[in-house]
Amino acid sequence: MTHDAPFPVHIAIQTADFDVSAELAALRAQDPRVGAVCCFVGTVRDRHGTSAPAPDAAVASLELEHYPGMTEKAIAAMVDAARQRFDILGARIIHRVGLLAPLEQIVLVAVSSAHRGESFQACEFLMDYLKTQAPFWKKEQTAQGAQWVDARVSDDAALARWGIAARNA
């Protein structure tokens, strides 16, 4: 892969919501090489759902914290790793922090490329990497109180399929 052409990257850690349509338009703006854009939008969910042990275990909110500067640098390194693996033309990653309610948007990962396969793979790679390696701390609030969210084995397994060992062990 040659990387002579400009590679637009936008990384934002913010409290404000984002407009998916505007972000995708910005990713592909003025680049006639783009033939595919793939995006993932994550939302805050009640991960206990109907299997919650009690109604008061439902997630009322999720609070996210990060280490400013360090988080953006880690995400930029993730984008560089994706660029080395996949023939992509640009990337936009937005991750919200602060207090969020169920159903609110929390993360956007968007990737452009000439062909769909590279976009799909790079988007999934970035999301797997982001989920396990980015320095974010999540705290769920339920009627029973607040609890920090631990890393999940399934997230580590998703990263492992890319040949990357999780640092969350």
Side-chain angles (χ1 to χ4, degrees):
M1 282 176 257
T2 59
H3 296 293
D4 299 332
F7 186 80
V9 176
H10 174 76
I11 297 167
I13 310 300
Q14 61 192 45
T15 56
D17 198 3
F18 50 87
D19 179 337
V20 175
S21 182
E23 295 299 332
L24 296 183
L27 177 62
R28 40 185 281 243
Q30 307 303 313
D31 192 344
R33 301 171 303 156
V34 173
V37 174
C38 182
C39 81
F40 172 84
V41 177
T43 57
V44 177
R45 66 185 165 96
D46 180 358
R47 63 189 186 108
H48 304 295
T50 58
S51 65
D56 60 352
V59 174
S61 65
L62 181 67
E63 186 172 3
L64 284 97
E65 297 179 6
H66 78 296
Y67 193 99
M70 176 189 197
T71 305
E72 293 86 346
K73 185 176 178 181
I75 294 171
M78 292 173 199
V79 172
D80 287 342
R83 191 170 182 213
Q84 294 306 311
R85 287 175 179 252
F86 309 103
D87 192 10
I88 56 177
L89 303 172
R92 292 181 85 78
I93 297 177
I94 299 173
H95 207 298
R96 294 181 64 197
V97 293
L99 191 62
L100 301 170
L103 304 178
E104 286 191 71
Q105 297 182 134
I106 188 171
V107 63
L108 168 74
V109 174
V111 180
S112 64
S113 66
H115 305 284
R116 71 179 180 269
E118 296 290 319
S119 285
F120 279 126
Q121 287 183 313
C123 190
E124 191 168 13
F125 171 82
L126 283 167
M127 194 58 225
D128 288 345
Y129 209 160
L130 188 63
K131 186 81 172 163
T132 58
Q133 304 303 300
F136 290 102
W137 296 272
K138 301 174 183 176
K139 186 178 5 174
E140 289 180 339
Q141 183 68 47
T142 68
Q144 297 173 342
Q147 177 179 321
W148 291 103
V149 178
D150 291 327
R152 294 194 323 245
V153 173
S154 61
D155 291 332
D156 291 343
L159 188 63
R161 74 187 170 106
W162 300 105
I164 301 170
R167 298 183 305 229
N168 299 323

